[in-house]
Amino acid sequence: MDIEFDAEVIEWRGPAPYVFAVVPPDVVDLVHDLASEVTYGWGVVPAGVTIRGVRWTTSLFPKDGGYLVPLRTAERCRAAVEVGDVVHVTLTVDAP
């Protein structure tokens, strides 16, 4: 199932800096409903992501009742995405 939304790109500083697109609240419930069918543990949700024509596979991270889409450096560079951008995301939720 493809889900489209606009998302803010943030940096989260944990043990190392990571960059994520924040799944908006109006989409979180839909992802949560699908998660129980596709999650492979720890609440992560396997998904395909497309931003600005660049597609890759990843897993959504649950955080504070919502989800974060990890944006790896290679894909961010190819899609010209920077922290603070608002990007259009196409998310394909898949079974592992």
Side-chain angles (χ1 to χ4, degrees):
M1 164 183 254
D2 286 348
I3 305 166
E4 294 190 34
F5 54 89
D6 292 331
E8 180 183 4
V9 177
I10 64 163
E11 182 177 48
W12 177 67
R13 293 193 175 267
Y18 292 96
V19 177
F20 297 94
V22 180
V23 176
D26 61 325
V27 178
V28 166
D29 288 340
L30 178 56
V31 173
H32 184 73
D33 289 346
L34 295 170
S36 63
E37 297 176 26
V38 299
T39 189
Y40 52 85
W42 306 286
V44 296
V45 179
V49 177
T50 304
I51 297 175
R52 297 180 178 163
V54 178
R55 180 165 169 72
W56 68 95
T57 57
T58 189
S59 294
L60 308 181
F61 290 16
K63 175 127 174 70
D64 299 330
Y67 292 95
L68 300 174
V69 181
L71 305 180
R72 295 184 297 235
T73 301
E75 285 80 9
R76 280 192 305 113
C77 290
R78 287 180 34 226
V81 173
E82 300 290 334
V83 172
D85 288 352
V86 174
V87 295
H88 188 76
V89 177
T90 301
L91 192 66
T92 305
V93 177
D94 294 318

